[in-house]
């Protein structure tokens, strides 16, 4: 769903295992400030991989370009990175400036992040050199302790795909019936916070009291990765910790968390553009190769020990708006690369599946189709290959969409649902009533399929559309339809 303006939106440290190891800048025995300081942080770690970052501060004369080098002592290997050109030769890692961030003034800092593998030991590097000059003189690096995987999820069941059904460990079918909890995709990038409204236990319990068993949580890749431009208090380790805390609360109430990449990097100004900004401030037609695979590698590494969590690859693809060729659009959707009408390098659905599976994560993956996930007409022909066999189709439908009738659902959705689990990640209408979603829920009930209402936020129901008028679960006239229906299904 595309979002109402911020003015409309405003109308309305739990048990988290994060590994943070910092090489702290020091003053030398002579009282002189080091020529440069480097803060090295492990923000998230799992059994064979981790996400790290470096913050470089130049305390000498301004630099026109910069290159940081350090050596790993524990067999770590950098696999990808951002905000710098990362490479590794043997044990030596190099992070060189990009064309746009080469100038580093006196007293200025720059941060860059990376993903890496490790085995046996993940000791922090001992020596950092900026353009050949040793940084952190007299500092003593620390070694990060091993992290524990996230909890397996309270009473929320571990899920996998069996034929065209989602099932729990005992083989019982699990339909995902619930709501979206918007906020994590836009608050951080706009500099206001992480969530829009409360996400404490009382707020999550209010969702469960509607008899929902699933909550979809939209995310922002720049905030998760802690890229430049995101306020540190709302990005990187702080953002990841907040997401893990919310997931833990959702699962503790027996609900399935669906983690979803909503807003992403890449400038697109073509047909139906949501904004002209290169940053992740609106819905883009496709994920970007620069950061989206890194985002999913990190998310998957963080939650790979939690089979209750589901991954939704990308909110609402629309490469079909950038080209008149349906074949080109579906190829772009699956394969990415250089896509007609999209100026940045695209990460296709196969790229994102591969990024997740490369971490060893076997979590269920959802993939939405074209036309803002409203078109699944060629989904089965172009579906990505999933070595874990845990792939589901995602679909969005509102009363103003092209495919919003029973005849379209029968012709395009039913064939997909016969092959794989089909999840309507967003259903809704802009009428402040529930006549349309009543029709949607009936068709999906008749076919034993999943659906989640947009959205559990206190916005205007005609522009959100919003399910609630207060976070205690007081429904809007539109939300009352979903609430009453879920309660009737599970009295």
């Amino acid at each position: 769903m595309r979002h109402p303006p911020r003015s409309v939106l405003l109308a309305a440290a739990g048990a988290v295992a994060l590994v943070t190891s910092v090489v702290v800048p020091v003053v030398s025995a002579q009282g002189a400030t080091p020529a440069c300081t480097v803060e090295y942080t492990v923000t998230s770690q799992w059994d064979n991989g981790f996400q790290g970052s470096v913050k470089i501060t130049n305390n000498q004369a301004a630099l026109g370009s910069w290159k940081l080098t350090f050596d790993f002592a524990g067999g770590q290997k950098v696999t990808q990175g951002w905000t710098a050109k990362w490479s590794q030769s043997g044990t030596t890692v190099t992070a060189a400036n990009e064309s746009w961030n080469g100038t580093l003034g006196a007293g200025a800092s720059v941060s860059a992040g990376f993903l890496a593998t490790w085995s046996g030991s993940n000791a922090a590097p001992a020596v950092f050199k900026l353009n050949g000059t040793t940084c952190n003189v007299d500092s003593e690096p620390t070694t990060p302790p091993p992290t524990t995987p996230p909890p397996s999820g309270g009473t929320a069941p571990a899920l996998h795909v069996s034929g065209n059904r989602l099932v729990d460990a005992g083989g019982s079918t699990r339909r995902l019936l619930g709501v979206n909890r918007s906020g994590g995709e836009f608050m951080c990038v706009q500099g206001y916070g992480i969530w829009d409204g409360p996400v404490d236990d009382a707020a999550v319990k209010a969702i469960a009291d509607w008899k929902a068993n699933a909550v979809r949580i939209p995310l922002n890749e720049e905030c998760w990765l802690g890229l430049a431009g995101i306020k540190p208090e709302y990005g990187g380790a702080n953002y990841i910790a907040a997401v893990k805390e919310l997931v833990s609360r959702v699962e503790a109430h027996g609900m399935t968390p669906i983690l979803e990449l909503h807003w992403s990097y890449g400038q697109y100004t073509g047909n139906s553009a949501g904004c002209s900004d290169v940053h992740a401030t609106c819905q883009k037609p496709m994920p970007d190769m620069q950061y989206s695979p890194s985002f999913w590698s990190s998310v998957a590494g963080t939650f790979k020990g939690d089979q209750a969590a589901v991954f939704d690859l990308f909110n609402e693809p629309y490469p079909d708006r950038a080209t008149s060729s349906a074949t080109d659009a579906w190829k772009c959707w699956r394969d990415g690369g250089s896509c007609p009408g999209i100026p940045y390098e695209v990460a296709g659905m196969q790229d994102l599946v591969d990024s997740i599976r490369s971490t060893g994560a076997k979590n269920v993956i959802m993939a939405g189709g074209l036309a803002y996930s409203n078109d699944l007409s060629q989904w089965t022909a172009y579906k990505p290959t999933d070595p874990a066999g845990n792939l589901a189709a995602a679909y969005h439908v509102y009363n103003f969409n092209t495919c919003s009738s029973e005849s379209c659902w029968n012709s395009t959705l039913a064939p997909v649902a016969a092959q794989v689990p089909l999840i309507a990640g967003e259903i809704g209408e802009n009428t402040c009533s529930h006549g349309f979603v009543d029709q949607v829920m009936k068709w999906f009930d008749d076919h034993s399929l999943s659906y989640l209402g947009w959205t559990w936020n206190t916005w205007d129901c005609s522009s959100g559309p919003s399910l609630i008028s207060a976070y205690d679960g007081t429904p809007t006239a539109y939300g009352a339809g979903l609430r009453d229906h879920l309660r009737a299904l599970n009295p």
Side-chain angles (χ1 to χ4, degrees), residues 46-57:
W46 49 99
D47 55 5
N48 61 354
F50 69 100
Q51 178 178 333
S53 68
V54 291
K55 180 181 179 182
I56 307 163
T57 301

Side-chain angles (χ1 to χ4, degrees), residues 325-412:
S325 166
T327 298
D328 285 346
W330 278 106
K331 285 181 178 178
C332 175
W333 179 84
R334 181 188 63 195
D335 301 329
S338 297
C339 293
I342 302 176
Y344 57 88
E345 185 179 5
V346 167
M349 298 301 129
Q350 187 65 62
D351 294 313
L352 302 186
V353 170
D354 292 346
S355 293
I356 291 170
R357 296 304 183 223
S358 67
T359 70
K362 292 182 169 55
N363 304 61
V364 171
I365 292 174
M366 296 164 54
L370 302 187
Y372 303 96
S373 293
N374 184 243
D375 176 8
L376 301 188
S377 60
Q378 298 188 56
W379 192 95
T380 55
Y382 285 91
K383 69 177 180 180
T385 300
D386 178 17
N390 276 333
L391 186 67
Y395 174 72
H396 293 185
V397 64
Y398 292 86
N399 56 310
F400 46 80
N401 287 143
T402 300
C403 185
S404 58
S405 66
E406 187 172 340
S407 61
C408 185
W409 303 332
N410 287 334
S411 63
T412 65

